[in-house]
Amino acid sequence: MHVIVAGSGELGGGVLAALLGSGHVVAGLLQNGRTVRGAARAWAALERGLLGAPIDPLRLAARRRVPVVWVDKQDAAELDVIRALRPDLIITCGFSIILHAPLLAVPSAGCVNVHSSLLPKHRGPNPFSRVILAGERETGVTWHVTVPDIDSGDILEQRAFPVGPRDTVYAVYERACAIASANTSAVVDRIERDGLAGRVQPRDGATYEPKLSDEELRIRWERSAEEIDRLIRAGHPFADPYFVHRARRIRVIKAAPIALGRFATPGTVLEVGRSVAVATGEGAIRIETAYGGPKSWPLRWPGLVLGPRIGEVLE
């Protein structure tokens, strides 16, 4: 089949690499033209073609001379360029633009999305974080028919994998990327043989998961240590949770619940040393790595000049 991949990051790169090594023809790569415009598109292709990570989709496209199409308005001009590539199938994977009906109608066989959850749970752009926040012990990857409604098309294939009790959002992301890369070629083989024959997603249990908001990322000490720990593992490195210390945001990268035999008001600093122990609504949590100031200039906390004191109550 002639396949166009619409994807970004490790997920898009892994799927693209797998298809480049299969018996199918990669006819093109679609990229987000809304966030990258004008001359920046040429620079992005050049920079990442030379310096990007080996799995970066633009780098792979440059090395294998795969045509790149920047998608923005999905207007007639963009659709004509994509039609000229004569795709049988478009596969989206980590693509942040919703495909409209005219674009969905371009490939002869249709469009498929690779989504990193066991649909119908955790639809939307943030399945990795929400799985950890929910305390789930299993998630997976779903290949489904792309329709105008988000992540709701018929399911073609699903592969599950476990979520460990100390997994971070990035660990879940990497595992999903590996499974998507390992299995997408076989899914395309099946589509070539049988078409887009899938099963309807059940309505029961369907959830939509937006990106974590700034308000959701704020650590609330009145919550349990387990809940705060899940929030931290669900955020870093994509969006680091934070609390306020002396009018300054402190963003937390690594922490762990601990058992302390004494009770204190939630937010109270219990211990200070190489790490900081803080009382929560249930139990306590040890903050192992955090920083204040711009993320590009991380400062270890409590190594700041204005570090916490035992007995101080954090906001």
Side-chain angles (χ1 to χ4, degrees):
M1 298 188 84
H2 282 67
V3 182
I4 288 178
V5 175
S8 62
E10 191 173 337
L11 180 61
V15 169
L16 177 60
L19 290 171
L20 284 169
S22 72
H24 303 285
V25 176
V26 177
L29 172 68
L30 304 189
Q31 292 289 278
N32 187 337
R34 293 179 184 172
T35 57
V36 183
R37 298 178 179 274
R41 296 178 181 178
W43 169 247
L46 176 62
E47 178 189 38
R48 284 155 65 185
L50 295 173
L51 305 174
I55 202 69
D56 182 87
L58 274 175
R59 182 174 184 179
L60 287 172
R63 290 174 58 190
R64 298 293 292 270
R65 298 186 178 181
V66 174
V68 177
V69 180
W70 295 89
V71 177
D72 181 2
K73 299 177 182 178
Q74 302 182 47
D75 56 16
E78 291 179 359
L79 293 178
D80 284 344
V81 174
I82 297 170
R83 286 193 190 98
L85 299 174
R86 304 178 66 83
D88 298 309
L89 186 71
I90 292 178
I91 295 182
T92 55
C93 38
F95 198 56
S96 53
I97 293 178
I98 297 173
L99 304 190
H100 298 160
L103 180 49
L104 291 175
V106 168
S108 57
C111 298
V112 171
N113 183 46
V114 184
H115 184 74
S116 300
S117 80
L118 295 176
L119 293 173
K121 293 181 70 174
H122 306 301
R123 293 172 177 170
N126 196 21
F128 315 104
S129 294
R130 300 295 178 173
V131 163
I132 292 176
L133 282 174
E136 295 186 14
R137 291 293 175 254
E138 183 182 68
T139 187
V141 177
T142 301
W143 290 259
H144 68 92
V145 178
T146 308
V147 296
D149 196 14
I150 296 173
D151 300 330
S152 59
D154 290 359
I155 293 172
L156 301 169
E157 183 68 71
Q158 288 186 310
R159 296 295 174 93
F161 63 85
V163 180
R166 300 304 305 156
D167 275 347
T168 64
V169 62
Y170 192 68
V172 175
Y173 174 72
E174 281 195 312
R175 212 164 295 149
C177 291
I179 288 177
S181 177
N183 293 278
T184 294
S185 294
V187 173
V188 175
D189 290 343
R190 200 181 90 189
I191 293 170
E192 185 174 36
R193 184 181 66 247
D194 302 330
L196 296 182
R199 56 183 174 86
V200 176
Q201 286 193 39
R203 294 184 179 182
D204 292 344
T207 60
Y208 176 81
E209 315 293 8
K211 293 182 179 180
L212 290 170
S213 67
D214 187 73
E215 186 65 19
E216 287 179 291
L217 286 168
R218 181 161 186 166
I219 295 171
R220 308 289 179 181
W221 301 112
E222 64 271 17
R223 294 178 178 168
S224 71
E226 294 288 344
E227 289 176 299
I228 294 171
D229 171 60
R230 287 202 300 266
L231 175 63
I232 293 165
R233 289 187 290 110
H236 181 73
F238 302 122
D240 295 335
Y242 70 94
F243 61 90
V244 178
H245 175 243
R246 301 182 190 177
R248 186 176 194 173
R249 283 193 178 190
I250 304 297
R251 296 194 175 270
V252 182
I253 295 175
K254 186 178 180 182
I258 55 175
L260 287 179
R262 57 187 184 277
F263 173 81
T265 301
T268 301
V269 176
L270 303 173
E271 296 177 359
V272 175
R274 293 177 64 88
S275 61
V276 175
V278 183
T280 69
E282 183 179 334
I285 193 163
R286 187 175 301 284
I287 300 172
E288 298 176 5
T289 309
Y291 65 90
K295 189 171 183 179
S296 56
W297 298 332
L299 300 173
R300 187 172 177 85
W301 188 88
L304 299 172
V305 174
L306 297 178
R309 298 188 303 267
I310 292 176
E312 185 175 2
V313 178
L314 303 174
E315 296 179 37

